[in-house]
Amino acid sequence: MDAAVGRQAVRCGRRRLSRADRDCPNRTARMIDCPTDMSAQRDAAQCDAAQCDAAQCDTEERLKASERRYRSLVAAMSSVVFTAESEGIAAEPLPYWEEFTGQTFEQMAGSGWMEAVHPEDRAVAQENWRRAVARGEPCRFECRIRRKDGVYRWFGVSAVPVVDNNRRLVEWVGTLTEIHAQRAAEQELECRNYELRERMKELRCLHAIAMACNQDDTSLPVFLDWITLVLPSAMRFPEDAVCRVVCDGAAYLSGSFSEPAQPISAAIVAGGSTVGSVEVGYRSADTGAAEPLPEERDLVATVAMLIGQAISRQRDRQMLEMQSRELTRRQTLFEQMARLAKVGGWEVDLRTRELRWTDQTFEITEWPRDRPPDLEWQLSRYEGEGGELIRSKFREIVENDGTYDLELPYVTATGRRRWLRTIGQVERVDGEPRRAFGALTDVTDAKLARNRMWELANRDSLTGLPNRRLFQERLEDAVSADVPTDSTALLLLDLDDFKDVNDTLGHDAGDALLKAVAERLEAAVGETGMVARLGGDEFAILVQPIGGAEEAHALASRLAAEIVRPIAFSGESIAVRATIGIALHPYHAGSAAELFTNADVALYVGKRGGAGRAVVFKPAMRHVTEERVAVCASIRRSLERDEILPFYQPKICLATNRVTGLEALVRRRHPEFGVQPPAAFAIAFQNTEIAGRLGERMLDLCLRDMADWAEQGVAFGQVALNLSEAEFRRPDLVEVLLDRIARFDLAPAQLGVEVTETVLLGREGDAVGARLQELHRAGISIALDDFGTGYASLTHLRQFPVDTLKIDRSFIQSIEEDAASRAIALAVVTLGHTLGMDIVAEGVETPGQADLLAEAGCDVGQGYLFAKPMPATRVPHFIRTWGREDGAPESGRRPVRLFG
């Protein structure tokens, strides 16, 4: 205080008086005491003055030294010292103030210095300074003061009051200390403490969640609900945080949930796939607008990862539990199946040779349960070399690892013969074999079933002979074997008129005949050959070795002689003949397929030349096959080129002279020979594939023509279509017909089906009959074509659903001259009408024939008398003009016109 006062006095250039001295009315009296002796007083005064001058000089020197020390101290300090009057007003310029803030003393005077204080800190600074001045108490506060460059720095302001001896406030002395670095350090420390507290919150949260993840007894919904409560507490503003967890389509929400402004989201991944998400945010506008911190994002991502791990563990645990239950179930099932399947287990200790069995093994071997199993005895029960074979396999797997699997005949302890399957394997410990174990299965029933299945697959069920499959294998083996030239003969045998036996005496008689023929063939061939039934009434004989063609022909003759001998059946004598085709390897063919083809060609030639013959193949016979192949290839090309087309021949009611319908006849438009009838390519119908394709094409074309006529308003009645034996083999024939009829918007009654006696009574007779029944039920009429030329009997007319009988043209041609033909025609008409059938006469060419048929009661005529077959484009004109001459209707007279 003294130094400050002294420094101030020096600045003013005079001695500074105290306030008490200035206020005293007799200052001079107070300063100098005058003695009564004036001279003495003068001398004393002079002495005192000298002393005072000396003292003053000394004082001034001390003050100057003090001031120098003060200035040095202030310069060394980081603080600025200031003084202010008792009212708090700056009394003099502050050192460095103008240099620091840029304010002059005039600008900072009074309260102007507040302009340098940060606006946010002014109120605090003013209030602290005002309160200190009012109370005369020291004050301390902190504020930011602006530098000349506009940057604010933190300062600590400290001021204390200066009082005189009377305790009166004289002035204020204080310091301004820059504390910016300290304040920044404090803020940094505070931030670090804040971050530490946040991290601790996160760690506590993650620890709690991690602990919860390991609680296996907590259900997933409860766990996820708990997550929505715990996770918000670790956020920056926990009181405003909300959380949503979505898992497997279910949502779990924290209390008072509302959609956050800027949610933090992370996917929950379990088992490599995303199963849900975790979402955290703030619901209020203030906190929700804040940019999420990286630490918050990391926290949410970590929680999502922990949830995914928990879900994966829970699923794994559930999977393990399920697998455990499944394993238990399968173990139980295995034990049950082992008992049902007769599977037993065995084990051998390779060090002690001790044999152990399961209960099922005791049952399989029928060994007494009260006796330990004996290994040597067990091996001795296998028949033949079975025991030694197992020993050999056992030694092999002990030395080289692996397994063995054998099926061997076995005799049980009670003497029953069984087939056992034994499987063995060796277990090793540290590379050394320790035990052998395996399974024992009673496969007797399976063995018998396999043998039976083989028999069914390779043997004919009626005769017991090898079937086509087995015969083909043996033929391939015989042809590929190394044997002398001409050593293998193939004989294909076909029974003649076998269908007559079935049709007249029934299928039982036919079966008896086939079995008798099989027995005779096997007896005649003996051990040198093989006899097989290929199907129906076809047999094949393979003989190896054989001398040549003559010996093969002699064998065929003997076979034919054996077959022709009658057999007795139900009091009847049955006799048939056989046609045989012969081919030899390697003289006639180099492969099994070629040998079979050539034998078939020889059989075909024999059939064409007359039944009951044995024919040896000759190369010249190939032209028959070549012709058939050429015709079939030509028809295939015609099908591809749309050269197949239908022609239509009208059917006329003999009573009313009206058109009742049409018959569709196949034609071929040959590019060289023009339109050809079916006789030109009849051989192609023997090919099942071509016959089927021709039938498909004819059906489509006929239905298309019928639909066109219907659209033109042409009353065409019913169109009859001939179906081949190949088409009747299709199990979906009826479905196909009805589907296509419906596709063209026609009625089933508008289509009729014609079938010949040959097809009806052929090898596929049963299939044909079944299809005819289905067609009849569907509303499609059935006509029996060429009646009287085959072997159809009254039984067949009753057995099959025939609606119409067609008298063959061979009877109509001679009906005018031959009384027998007239009688046959009349009989057929009478028979058909008696059975409720319509009668159609084919091949009507003269008016006389038409008159006779009409008098006999025949319903419909068809032939050149009325019209030749015509293309579809001429049908509408024919139907519209039929029965008219010069545009006028005919009445009472049947026209005698030929339509070319």
Side-chain angles (χ1 to χ4, degrees):
M1 183 62 186
D2 292 340
V5 175
R7 187 171 62 251
Q8 185 66 20
V10 171
R11 289 198 192 99
C12 296
R14 59 180 175 87
R15 176 178 173 269
R16 184 175 179 177
L17 301 178
S18 66
R19 185 180 297 273
D21 292 336
R22 291 197 300 267
D23 293 342
C24 179
N26 191 2
R27 291 182 293 178
T28 305
R30 293 187 59 189
M31 294 176 60
I32 303 173
D33 295 331
C34 297
T36 55
D37 189 354
M38 291 300 294
S39 60
Q41 291 178 354
R42 187 181 306 117
D43 295 336
Q46 292 176 351
C47 183
D48 290 338
Q51 292 178 351
C52 286
D53 290 338
Q56 181 177 352
C57 290
D58 182 61
T59 299
E60 288 177 357
E61 288 297 329
R62 289 197 300 271
L63 286 174
K64 290 179 180 180
S66 176
E67 184 177 2
R68 286 194 299 269
R69 288 194 297 271
Y70 170 75
R71 288 184 180 275
S72 298
L73 178 62
V74 169
M77 293 174 58
S78 62
S79 302
V80 177
V81 180
F82 68 89
T83 61
E85 295 181 359
S86 59
E87 293 82 3
I89 299 172
E92 58 183 8
L94 300 180
Y96 310 117
W97 179 266
E98 183 175 353
E99 180 183 349
F100 183 80
T101 65
Q103 279 188 329
T104 64
F105 177 72
E106 288 77 11
Q107 291 173 334
M108 69 163 289
S111 59
W113 64 275
M114 279 291 178
E115 292 300 322
V117 178
H118 196 286
E120 295 179 0
D121 301 338
R122 287 174 189 170
V124 176
Q126 288 174 343
E127 176 61 23
N128 277 279
W129 187 244
R130 185 197 61 78
R131 186 170 56 248
V133 171
R135 298 180 181 176
E137 297 176 348
C139 73
R140 291 179 180 276
F141 61 89
E142 297 175 354
C143 64
R144 286 164 287 182
I145 297 177
R146 184 181 64 245
R147 294 190 316 197
K148 286 190 299 183
D149 58 3
V151 177
Y152 287 93
R153 305 285 288 180
W154 280 98
F155 280 83
V157 180
S158 177
V160 295
V162 178
V163 296
D164 59 10
N165 293 332
N166 296 321
R167 308 299 297 174
R168 286 186 301 175
L169 180 63
V170 176
E171 61 181 350
W172 292 87
V173 178
T175 58
L176 287 172
T177 305
E178 184 174 351
I179 60 171
H180 195 81
Q182 176 185 347
R183 189 62 181 259
E186 290 176 352
Q187 289 179 349
E188 177 68 19
L189 180 60
E190 183 180 353
C191 289
R192 292 184 179 276
N193 288 335
Y194 174 78
E195 292 178 0
L196 181 60
R197 290 193 299 272
E198 292 297 311
R199 299 296 82 76
M200 289 300 297
K201 285 197 304 183
E202 295 173 4
L203 289 175
R204 286 194 295 270
C205 173
L206 292 176
H207 178 71
I209 293 175
M211 293 295 293
C213 288
N214 295 322
Q215 299 295 323
D216 295 339
D217 56 347
T218 303
S219 66
L220 184 61
V222 173
F223 171 65
L224 296 180
D225 268 332
W226 178 78
I227 291 290
T228 63
L229 299 177
V230 173
L231 184 54
S233 66
M235 300 301 288
R236 193 171 16 157
F237 309 110
E239 66 283 349
D240 199 39
V242 292
C243 177
R244 171 168 53 201
V245 178
V246 179
C247 183
D248 291 334
Y252 304 87
L253 308 176
S254 60
S256 304
F257 179 85
S258 60
E259 289 294 334
Q262 295 190 58
I264 307 170
S265 181
I268 300 174
V269 179
S273 61
T274 301
V275 298
S277 62
V278 178
E279 188 177 280
V280 182
Y282 301 106
R283 56 191 169 204
S284 69
D286 295 337
T287 54
E291 183 69 22
L293 296 176
E295 292 79 6
E296 291 179 310
R297 296 185 185 277
D298 292 343
L299 173 63
V300 175
T302 303
V303 171
M305 180 192 68
L306 291 174
I307 293 175
Q309 292 175 353
I311 293 174
S312 297
R313 279 196 299 271
Q314 187 177 70
R315 289 180 176 178
D316 292 343
R317 185 172 61 256
Q318 292 173 349
M319 180 62 70
L320 287 174
E321 292 174 355
M322 183 181 68
Q323 290 175 346
S324 178
R325 291 192 298 269
E326 179 66 13
L327 184 61
T328 302
R329 187 190 67 80
R330 290 188 179 187
Q331 180 66 24
T332 303
L333 180 62
F334 175 77
E335 294 174 355
Q336 294 172 346
M337 292 300 296
R339 289 192 294 272
L340 294 175
K342 301 178 181 179
V343 178
W346 58 266
E347 179 183 18
V348 176
D349 188 324
L350 297 180
R351 292 172 297 182
T352 64
R353 306 288 291 176
E354 180 184 3
L355 175 64
R356 290 184 289 271
W357 283 351
T358 64
D359 292 343
Q360 191 61 34
T361 305
F362 280 98
E363 294 184 10
I364 293 172
T365 60
E366 297 181 342
W367 182 265
R369 293 179 182 271
D370 56 350
R371 293 172 55 190
D374 183 88
L375 180 59
E376 292 302 323
W377 182 91
Q378 168 70 10
L379 294 175
S380 68
R381 304 304 292 176
Y382 287 97
E383 292 184 350
E385 301 297 325
E388 288 302 320
L389 179 60
I390 293 178
R391 283 191 178 93
S392 173
K393 293 292 183 181
F394 193 86
R395 286 192 297 267
E396 184 177 327
I397 65 172
V398 169
E399 295 173 0
N400 305 315
D401 287 336
T403 61
Y404 68 80
D405 189 341
L406 302 170
E407 281 190 12
L408 300 168
Y410 178 88
V411 179
T412 68
T414 60
R416 291 199 309 156
R417 189 176 186 274
R418 312 294 291 172
W419 277 89
L420 300 186
R421 179 186 181 188
T422 176
I423 303 173
Q425 186 174 354
V426 172
E427 178 185 34
R428 295 179 180 274
V429 178
D430 297 330
E432 294 295 326
R434 290 294 179 86
R435 71 183 186 104
F437 60 95
L440 194 68
T441 309
D442 187 341
V443 295
T444 305
D445 295 339
K447 186 78 172 179
L448 295 176
R450 285 198 300 271
N451 291 341
R452 177 58 178 163
M453 290 176 64
W454 188 92
E455 290 287 336
L456 292 175
N458 295 279
R459 294 281 181 181
D460 176 57
S461 59
L462 177 65
T463 63
L465 294 176
N467 60 13
R468 180 184 292 270
R469 177 178 178 275
L470 181 58
F471 182 80
Q472 192 67 36
E473 292 179 0
R474 299 291 172 82
L475 178 61
E476 292 281 355
D477 295 340
V479 169
S480 62
D482 186 13
V483 293
T485 304
D486 295 341
S487 62
T488 302
L490 172 62
L491 288 72
L492 295 183
L493 183 150
D494 186 89
L495 299 180
D496 301 324
D497 303 328
F498 176 72
K499 275 295 181 181
D500 293 347
V501 177
N502 276 339
D503 294 339
T504 57
L505 301 178
H507 287 284
D508 290 343
D511 291 346
L513 176 60
L514 290 174
K515 288 191 283 188
V517 169
E519 292 173 358
R520 293 177 184 179
L521 291 176
E522 281 196 303
V525 172
E527 298 295 330
T528 61
M530 173 185 181
V531 181
R533 183 189 176 200
L534 304 183
D537 57 357
E538 295 181 4
F539 294 83
I541 299 95
L542 180 66
V543 181
Q544 187 184 43
I546 196 166
E550 293 183 0
E551 185 177 342
H553 192 276
L555 173 62
S557 299
R558 289 198 306 274
L559 296 178
E562 288 294 325
I563 291 172
V564 79
R565 290 191 295 110
I567 67 169
F569 177 80
S570 298
E572 298 285 343
S573 178
I574 306 173
V576 292
R577 295 180 300 171
T579 301
I580 304 174
I582 306 167
L584 285 80
H585 170 79
Y587 181 72
H588 294 142
S591 66
E594 187 180 2
L595 185 66
F596 202 96
T597 299
N598 291 341
D600 190 50
V601 169
L603 177 64
Y604 180 76
V605 171
K607 283 284 189 182
R608 289 184 61 182
R613 301 175 60 204
V615 178
V616 178
F617 173 78
K618 296 179 181 180
M621 296 177 181
R622 288 199 181 95
H623 79 276
V624 178
T625 303
E626 292 171 355
E627 178 187 2
R628 181 169 53 189
V629 171
V631 172
C632 289
S634 177
I635 292 299
R636 287 191 179 95
R637 288 194 297 271
S638 295
L639 286 167
E640 294 171 358
R641 299 170 181 172
D642 290 330
E643 295 174 354
I644 303 300
L645 70 159
F647 268 43
Y648 299 94
Q649 188 172 34
K651 298 177 182 179
I652 307 299
C653 177
L654 298 178
T656 65
N657 199 35
R658 295 182 179 278
V659 177
T660 63
L662 306 159
E663 180 181 1
L665 303 169
V666 65
R667 294 290 187 270
R668 175 193 184 189
R669 186 182 291 110
H670 196 280
E672 181 179 354
F673 304 114
V675 177
Q676 293 180 318
F681 49 90
I683 194 171
F685 286 96
Q686 299 176 11
N687 185 292
T688 302
E689 178 257 334
I690 292 179
R693 291 181 61 186
L694 287 171
E696 289 273 345
R697 182 65 54 84
M698 284 291 292
L699 176 63
D700 285 340
L701 295 174
C702 289
L703 291 175
R704 185 178 295 112
D705 292 340
M706 293 164 64
D708 291 342
W709 298 334
E711 187 175 353
Q712 299 175 36
V714 178
F716 57 85
Q718 182 189 79
V719 176
L721 186 66
N722 289 278
L723 297 184
S724 66
E725 185 176 0
E727 293 173 272
F728 278 105
R729 292 194 186 104
R730 293 187 56 170
D732 60 345
L733 172 64
V734 180
E735 289 79 0
V736 170
L737 284 177
L738 295 178
D739 177 69
R740 297 189 181 179
I741 290 171
R743 191 185 307 168
F744 286 98
D745 199 23
L746 298 170
Q750 291 178 281
L751 182 69
V753 169
E754 293 193 3
V755 57
T756 63
E757 290 186 3
T758 303
V759 173
L760 189 67
L761 305 178
R763 295 178 179 178
E764 303 295 332
D766 293 340
V768 172
R771 304 294 177 269
L772 291 177
Q773 293 288 352
E774 296 177 19
L775 291 170
H776 186 73
R777 287 193 294 269
I780 298 175
S781 66
I782 310 299
L784 181 57
D785 200 7
D786 301 335
F787 183 73
T789 60
Y791 304 96
S793 63
L794 296 180
T795 301
H796 297 119
L797 294 180
R798 184 183 62 185
Q799 178 181 356
F800 299 111
V802 177
D803 301 298
T804 302
L805 286 179
K806 298 189 71 174
I807 305 175
D808 186 69
R809 65 178 65 250
S810 61
F811 298 110
I812 304 303
Q813 289 174 351
S814 58
I815 194 173
E816 294 181 274
E817 302 84 10
D818 186 15
S821 296
R822 287 197 299 273
I824 290 174
L826 178 62
V828 172
V829 171
T830 304
L831 172 64
H833 286 167
T834 302
L835 296 176
M837 302 174 184
D838 294 330
I839 307 300
V840 177
E842 290 184 302
V844 180
E845 298 180 355
T846 67
Q849 293 171 352
D851 291 337
L852 287 173
L853 290 169
E855 292 173 3
C858 182
D859 301 296
V860 177
Q862 176 183 348
Y864 282 9
L865 173 65
F866 309 110
K868 292 180 180 180
M870 63 188 71
T873 54
R874 295 184 55 189
V875 170
H877 174 74
F878 174 84
I879 292 177
R880 291 191 181 104
T881 60
W882 171 253
R884 294 173 177 266
E885 286 189 7
D886 299 328
E890 286 283 344
S891 60
R893 182 172 69 85
R894 182 177 295 103
V896 186
R897 294 183 296 172
L898 293 178
F899 291 83

